[in-house]
Amino acid sequence: MSTLNLIATATFGLESIVAGELKSLGYENLTIENARVTFPGDELSLCRANIMLRTADRIRLKVGEFKATTFDELFEKTKALPWPEIIPANAQFPVDGKSVKSTLFSVSDCQAIVKKAVVESMKRKYKIQWFEEKGPLYKIEVALLKDVATLTIDTSGPGLHKRGYRELTSTAPLRETLAAALVILSKWYPDTTLIDPLCGSGTIPIEAALIGQNIAPGIYRDFTADNWPNVPKSAWKKAREEAYDNIKRQKLDIIGTDLHGPSIKLARINAAKFKLDQDIHFQQLNLSDLSSRKKFGKIICNPPYGERLGDLPDVEKLYREMGKVFNQLDTWSYYILTSHPEFEKFFGKKASKKRKLYNGKIKVDYYQYYGARPSKRNYQQ
């Protein structure tokens, strides 16, 4: 492999955040589409993206893209792609699929045809009739959208939200990638106090600490492409060395509070796994007791949404309390993620800005309330 077409997949609404991360890593000529950002690179780029991107879901290697409205067309065009240049003879190469608004709507049939086409392509190269598939994993995906087939191979393995610090979770955890995006969207600076007063198992404070210390989210985990013979070990070594060199240890003022004691205990355990327990102060605390002597700061939280009808009265009561408590910190900025369509009504204040996002399959809004700006530093909210 030399020049590669790489795809960073993303949750709807986070594509521009992922693109911004890629630009900060020095990548250009980005193509931003729904749920993905495509960029050119090499083997080192593949390693860097997996290790360093905070808000992408996974990194895929794009093998080809073409229009296909018949199974014959799908077979022949798939077969013509350079599979043997990427996949070794002993590899495992299962096929996943999805189809949206396409003539070829049977996903199982599309998967079977792509598998057969890849096998035929590899037979010609390796001069064998049977592939045992006991080696490294090259998981193929055929994605059909409006009759355009995109063929990719997953390089990540478990999704990039699997940092490795959160084996234990509280109820309804927020994905790490979305938590990181909430912090990035708040334009929080590491010298600013950050509080999550409904922190659960600590995902938002931990992601903020990783950002504040510039610790790459994938620095301590492995990826599927770690085992690929055509991605040099030296590329992974260099990318990880870069990640370690980029760490900027500095004093942070991050606080996570929650009324639920077991969640606070989990949060401390999770933070300790990445040696962030000295950077975050976790405390069991009732929301009504929240206060700070700091004049400026940011609150970022993911409160309950009340998705179940019976929970709505309690959730709406919580939103009213949040409005009263947060209003006491009237020079602070606060950022709240929820799917409740009438959040502003119960909170008692209209947001400065809203951004539509997805938390899993749930449509949510990110309500952003801008406080005063510190006079010593003129930065944009």
Side-chain angles (χ1 to χ4, degrees):
M1 293 188 286
S2 51
T3 301
L4 308 177
N5 285 320
L6 299 170
I7 298 174
T9 64
T11 301
F12 283 107
L14 297 186
E15 298 90 345
S16 64
I17 309 300
V18 173
E21 286 195 81
L22 286 166
K23 287 176 183 176
S24 71
L25 291 175
Y27 297 105
E28 300 176 344
N29 302 319
L30 310 179
T31 302
I32 304 173
E33 300 170 277
N34 284 339
R36 67 180 187 178
V37 181
T38 304
F39 63 104
D42 55 15
E43 288 85 353
L44 180 58
S45 308
L46 182 156
C47 303
R48 272 199 197 114
N50 272 299
I51 293 169
M52 298 184 184
L53 290 182
R54 300 184 187 279
T55 58
D57 290 337
R58 59 181 61 250
I59 306 302
R60 294 189 178 278
L61 172 62
K62 183 177 177 181
V63 183
E65 189 170 86
F66 50 80
K67 187 172 182 178
T69 56
T70 67
F71 288 134
D72 284 344
E73 198 173 14
L74 178 63
F75 177 83
E76 293 299 335
K77 290 182 177 179
T78 299
K79 183 180 173 183
L81 295 174
W83 299 105
E85 295 176 20
I86 303 169
I87 301 176
N90 68 333
Q92 304 172 60
F93 50 101
V95 180
D96 278 347
K98 57 185 178 182
S99 179
V100 179
K101 298 179 180 179
S102 294
T103 306
L104 303 179
F105 59 85
S106 173
V107 172
S108 58
D109 286 336
C110 291
Q111 289 174 228
I113 286 164
V114 166
K115 179 74 174 187
K116 184 178 178 182
V118 174
V119 167
E120 290 302 315
S121 174
M122 292 177 65
K123 279 181 180 179
R124 289 185 300 179
K125 166 74 174 181
Y126 294 115
K127 311 299 182 185
I128 56 177
Q129 296 299 308
W130 178 257
F131 296 92
E132 291 189 346
E133 299 194 42
K134 293 183 178 179
L137 178 64
Y138 288 72
K139 193 172 185 178
I140 299 167
E141 181 186 76
V142 51
L144 287 135
L145 175 62
K146 297 179 180 178
D147 293 332
V148 175
T150 304
L151 280 296
T152 61
I153 301 175
D154 174 43
T155 74
S156 301
L160 296 184
H161 70 285
K162 297 279 190 180
R163 319 293 207 207
Y165 65 77
R166 199 177 71 175
E167 292 178 19
L168 301 171
T169 62
S170 59
T171 306
L174 183 72
R175 273 201 171 189
E176 295 88 332
T177 44
L178 180 54
L182 300 184
V183 176
I184 292 169
L185 286 168
S186 78
K187 298 188 179 178
W188 171 73
Y189 289 84
D191 61 352
T192 303
T193 300
L194 185 152
I195 300 177
D196 179 357
L198 302 159
C199 71
S201 58
T203 308
I204 291 174
I206 291 171
E207 289 298 322
L210 290 174
I211 291 168
Q213 305 290 20
N214 202 31
I215 298 172
I219 197 169
Y220 299 126
R221 59 160 283 184
D222 295 325
F223 305 92
T224 291
D226 265 302
N227 298 313
W228 289 8
N230 41 8
V231 177
K233 296 295 183 185
S234 59
W236 286 109
K237 185 173 184 289
K238 183 174 181 180
R240 289 190 168 96
E241 286 174 349
E242 287 179 2
Y244 279 106
D245 289 343
N246 288 340
I247 294 174
K248 297 176 182 177
R249 286 289 181 184
Q250 56 188 313
K251 183 176 175 58
L252 302 175
D253 188 14
I254 300 173
I255 300 164
T257 67
D258 201 288
L259 182 59
H260 189 237
S263 292
I264 290 296
K265 185 177 180 180
L266 283 179
R268 290 180 180 135
I269 292 170
N270 290 338
K273 287 180 181 175
F274 269 27
K275 299 180 181 179
L276 297 170
D277 42 325
Q278 300 302 309
D279 300 307
I280 309 167
H281 174 66
F282 287 112
Q283 181 181 357
Q284 185 176 357
L285 189 74
N286 197 313
L287 177 65
S288 61
D289 295 326
L290 181 70
S291 64
S292 177
R293 295 179 181 177
K294 298 292 180 67
K295 186 174 182 181
F296 301 104
K298 292 182 185 282
I299 292 173
I300 306 175
C301 63
N302 174 49
Y305 302 163
E307 290 298 307
R308 292 181 297 185
L309 192 59
D311 296 337
L312 274 175
D314 287 340
V315 165
E316 290 163 359
K317 181 181 177 181
L318 173 65
Y319 294 165
R320 289 190 184 97
E321 185 175 17
M322 286 168 59
K324 292 175 183 177
V325 173
F326 292 4
N327 193 50
Q328 294 172 10
L329 300 168
D330 57 349
T331 54
W332 284 46
S333 298
Y334 24 94
Y335 302 80
I336 303 137
L337 188 75
T338 178
S339 66
H340 197 301
E342 295 186 286
F343 169 77
E344 291 165 307
K345 170 187 169 183
F346 295 102
F347 188 72
K349 188 176 181 181
K350 187 173 177 60
S352 307
K353 184 179 180 181
K354 287 196 301 184
R355 186 182 183 115
K356 293 188 180 301
L357 297 172
Y358 277 82
N359 185 2
K361 295 182 179 180
I362 303 172
K363 289 183 180 180
V364 291
D365 283 298
Y366 194 36
Y367 293 87
Q368 303 168 57
Y369 294 85
Y370 301 154
R373 296 173 182 170
S375 57
K376 66 179 182 180
R377 182 183 62 215
N378 183 24
Y379 66 83
Q380 290 285 336
Q381 286 280 353

